[in-house]
Amino acid sequence: LQPDDWSQLEPLYRDLADRAINSPDDLRQWLSDYSDLEETVDEFGSRRYIAKSCHTDDDEIEKAYLFFVEQIVPKIQPWDDKLHRKFLDSPHRAQLTEPPFPLLARKWQADVDLYRDANVPLFTEDTKLGVKYDKICGAMTVQFKGKTLTMPQLGKYFEDTDRQTRHDAYDLWVKRRLQDREALDDIFDQMVPLRHRIAQNADKPTYREVMWQAKKRFDYTPDDCHAYADAVEAVVVPFVSELHDKRQSDMGVDTLRPWDTSVDPKGRPPLRPFEQDDIAGFVKKTRQMIARVSPVLGEEFDTLKLGPNLDLDSRPGKAPGGYQSSLEKVKEPFIFMNATGQQGDIETLLHEAGHAFHFIGSARDVPLSFVRHAPMEFCEVASMAMELLAADKYNAFYDEPGAARAMRSALERSITVLPWVALIDQFQHWIYTNPEHTRDERTENWLKTFNRFSSDRVDWSGYEDYRAARWQVQLHL
């Protein structure tokens, strides 16, 4: 089957739509066959997305991904809506009372209520704008110390013990990011009204309500998010300020600057767990950490191979960030990241491995692909837990003093990340409940929200423009 050939796909969807269902067992078999098709199409799309992420500078790969997004996915979505309705309308559904059928009905009812034909091309356009973002970010490189570096590779120098080197690297980072500030603002200026049109078509007041329903957030509300943000502001932000005060004292500097927040405050050399070109060694030692947590997890990690399941190194033309993708048909995980030989790389691989273990150990053997995955919020429990479960196992990479530093780094990050999470979340609440905002108003709100969740101990003098555009680094937006 070639899922990018609609002449092959359409008869399969039509067969499902036309098939007679005369009993509960018929309905179960129908769902199984539908799931089988869904797995195949989903994996094909995932592999196209992965290829695009790994090679944003390859026009043919981008063209193949966009063909699937533009020519295949929009044709599938109306069929999915018909099939969801066929299940929900079946008189035999009432007899499928065991799990997971009630949950499936709840999920598909949410999808049916949200679906509009008019939104299919709008979601396609939104996806295409995201491809432009990845392409711009993947092309960002700089010349530093006689080398051509990607942005993640340049970030290593923020840990250098020489303050001038850190400053020079940060200054170069800022200038390179600001070169594309207008282009990224332009993309977002197109995304926000597009997303508001989607909301209007779906008879929702804002895009926030659309995504709440699309992401099946049945168990909490925006007010819960605001309560979380208030708690972070009251408890965590003052604690981060205390950490910054201690950092400034340890470093003996008059003011704490943005390039002072990643270096070891006691002047010790940065933790360098592996050489950037030794990805195999990186994987081997991370496996040792995981196996010390659980031999079972170690065995599961052994199934992940460089190439088919792991693309970990940072290189020009590669999209930013990291993620785990579930390949539904072969039932294998794929992990994408941008490793440069830093301590944070281990934390990232542990994080994505947590997602992989969730898929391998709990999700992939669920028979129906439609209910195979937990909501994203719960998926993060597995990934963040993996980081912390392994936090005392860093002696796979370091001597005991180094392992202690690494553990502190991991534990500290588990706290300091919370204000950033609240910041990005609250920024999004404002964006989509104020969809007609101007670019200047967006910047004003970003700075207001940034100040709410950021320690006031860091002096941004001279870098105000970058501070105002720093939201662009967060690809989730």
Side-chain angles (χ1 to χ4, degrees):
L1 178 67
Q2 292 296 320
D4 57 352
D5 181 353
W6 185 242
S7 67
Q8 294 187 42
L9 275 185
E10 186 178 28
L12 302 177
Y13 284 100
R14 189 177 301 280
D15 171 73
L16 289 166
D18 293 344
R19 188 187 303 181
I21 297 175
N22 300 312
S23 69
D25 285 343
D26 283 353
L27 186 56
R28 288 187 178 91
Q29 184 60 52
W30 180 86
L31 285 168
S32 178
D33 293 344
Y34 183 12
S35 176
D36 188 45
L37 177 59
E38 174 82 4
E39 287 177 350
T40 303
V41 174
D42 185 274
E43 178 169 324
F44 186 87
S46 294
R47 290 189 181 277
R48 287 285 168 96
Y49 179 85
I50 288 167
K52 183 268 300 180
S53 298
C54 294
H55 306 283
T56 64
D57 53 355
D58 189 311
D59 291 340
E60 289 302 311
I61 287 176
E62 179 181 321
K63 182 179 177 181
Y65 174 70
L66 288 175
F67 179 85
F68 183 74
V69 166
E70 294 177 315
Q71 302 299 325
I72 304 299
V73 174
K75 294 174 181 174
I76 291 173
Q77 289 173 339
W79 282 106
D80 278 336
D81 183 63
K82 290 178 184 178
L83 298 178
H84 293 172
R85 292 174 190 273
K86 184 181 179 77
F87 170 74
L88 293 169
D89 294 342
S90 172
H92 303 290
R93 178 169 68 86
Q95 298 179 57
L96 272 58
T97 57
E98 72 274 20
F101 300 112
L103 174 62
L104 178 61
R106 190 181 189 189
K107 292 178 66 171
W108 279 1
Q109 187 63 60
D111 289 335
V112 163
D113 292 343
L114 198 59
Y115 178 82
R116 302 290 188 278
D117 282 332
N119 279 339
V120 172
L122 302 187
F123 278 116
T124 300
E125 187 60 32
D126 190 60
T127 299
K128 290 166 63 179
L129 289 169
V131 172
K132 290 183 178 180
Y133 173 89
D134 280 348
K135 194 174 185 71
I136 289 171
C137 293
M140 290 183 183
T141 59
V142 296
Q143 294 294 320
F144 191 65
K145 293 188 175 295
K147 299 178 181 178
T148 300
L149 303 176
T150 64
M151 301 303 275
Q153 290 168 348
L154 180 64
K156 287 180 67 173
Y157 290 95
F158 300 165
E159 299 177 352
D160 198 286
T161 54
D162 180 66
R163 199 181 194 198
Q164 187 62 48
T165 298
R166 296 198 306 275
H167 167 268
D168 293 346
Y170 191 84
D171 189 68
L172 190 58
W173 169 285
V174 166
K175 290 176 179 175
R176 182 62 189 88
R177 291 286 325 183
L178 290 179
Q179 283 181 31
D180 289 314
R181 179 182 183 180
E182 290 295 316
L184 296 180
D185 260 324
D186 287 343
I187 289 174
F188 209 63
D189 284 343
Q190 296 173 66
M191 282 180 160
V192 174
L194 183 67
R195 292 169 178 176
H196 188 57
R197 283 172 58 198
I198 290 171
Q200 291 177 312
N201 289 342
D203 303 311
K204 299 292 185 182
T206 75
Y207 186 70
R208 179 175 69 176
E209 283 73 23
V210 171
M211 296 314 294
W212 223 265
Q213 188 167 328
K215 291 182 181 293
K216 316 301 187 294
R217 290 173 175 160
F218 300 134
D219 304 305
Y220 71 101
T221 69
D223 285 341
D224 293 311
C225 295
H226 298 321
Y228 162 78
D230 290 342
V232 169
E233 181 182 17
V235 178
V236 184
V237 173
F239 177 69
V240 173
S241 292
E242 290 179 22
L243 291 176
H244 282 164
D245 286 340
K246 181 70 164 59
R247 169 175 288 272
Q248 182 178 339
S249 175
D250 287 345
M251 293 180 68
V253 294
D254 294 335
T255 57
L256 208 58
R257 302 287 271 156
W259 50 88
D260 294 327
T261 58
S262 299
V263 66
D264 183 85
K266 299 183 184 300
R268 294 167 294 193
L271 293 170
R272 292 288 180 257
F274 61 95
E275 294 296 326
Q276 184 179 328
D277 58 358
D278 186 20
I279 297 298
F282 170 41
V283 171
K284 180 180 179 180
K285 290 184 179 180
T286 304
R287 191 267 183 206
Q288 292 173 13
M289 290 182 69
I290 291 168
R292 291 171 187 173
V293 174
S294 161
V296 173
L297 295 183
E299 291 172 5
E300 291 179 356
F301 192 74
D302 283 340
T303 67
L304 307 181
K305 307 299 182 186
L306 287 171
N309 308 103
L310 304 170
D311 190 311
L312 307 182
D313 60 314
S314 178
R315 58 182 182 271
K318 192 173 179 181
Y323 61 80
Q324 188 269 159
S325 180
S326 301
L327 301 174
E328 298 290 349
K329 195 68 180 176
V330 297
K331 293 182 168 54
E332 294 180 3
F334 180 88
I335 294 176
F336 171 97
M337 61 176 287
N338 281 270
T340 60
Q342 297 174 267
Q343 161 61 23
D345 294 332
I346 310 175
E347 296 169 30
T348 298
L349 184 52
L350 289 171
H351 180 101
E352 304 305 341
H355 287 308
F357 299 146
H358 189 185
F359 178 63
I360 293 170
S362 300
R364 70 178 180 185
D365 292 329
V366 173
L368 295 181
S369 63
F370 318 113
V371 289
R372 191 168 287 159
H373 295 283
M376 183 61 70
E377 295 85 346
F378 191 79
C379 291
E380 293 304 314
V381 174
S383 55
M384 297 301 294
M386 192 66 238
E387 291 185 47
L388 294 171
L389 287 167
D392 62 345
K393 306 292 191 281
Y394 279 108
N395 53 7
F397 284 91
Y398 309 111
D399 59 18
E400 288 307 315
R405 286 175 60 192
M407 181 169 72
R408 180 186 173 92
S409 170
L411 295 175
E412 196 170 294
R413 179 180 170 276
S414 73
I415 301 298
T416 59
V417 72
L418 299 180
W420 183 258
V421 171
L423 164 59
I424 295 299
D425 183 56
Q426 290 296 295
F427 185 48
Q428 290 197 98
H429 283 285
W430 182 87
I431 285 169
Y432 297 115
T433 54
N434 296 273
E436 297 179 355
H437 67 262
T438 65
R439 190 177 294 191
D440 287 343
E441 288 170 338
R442 183 166 67 230
T443 300
E444 180 183 356
N445 178 266
W446 165 254
L447 289 171
K448 177 182 176 182
T449 313
F450 188 94
N451 289 337
R452 180 184 173 196
F453 295 106
S454 299
S455 165
D456 59 3
R457 306 303 201 269
V458 180
D459 178 8
W460 288 83
S461 299
Y463 293 89
E464 290 86 357
D465 285 348
Y466 176 64
R467 187 167 178 258
R470 196 158 174 251
W471 62 270
Q472 294 181 344
V473 177
Q474 190 68 46
L475 62 90
H476 297 73
L477 288 169

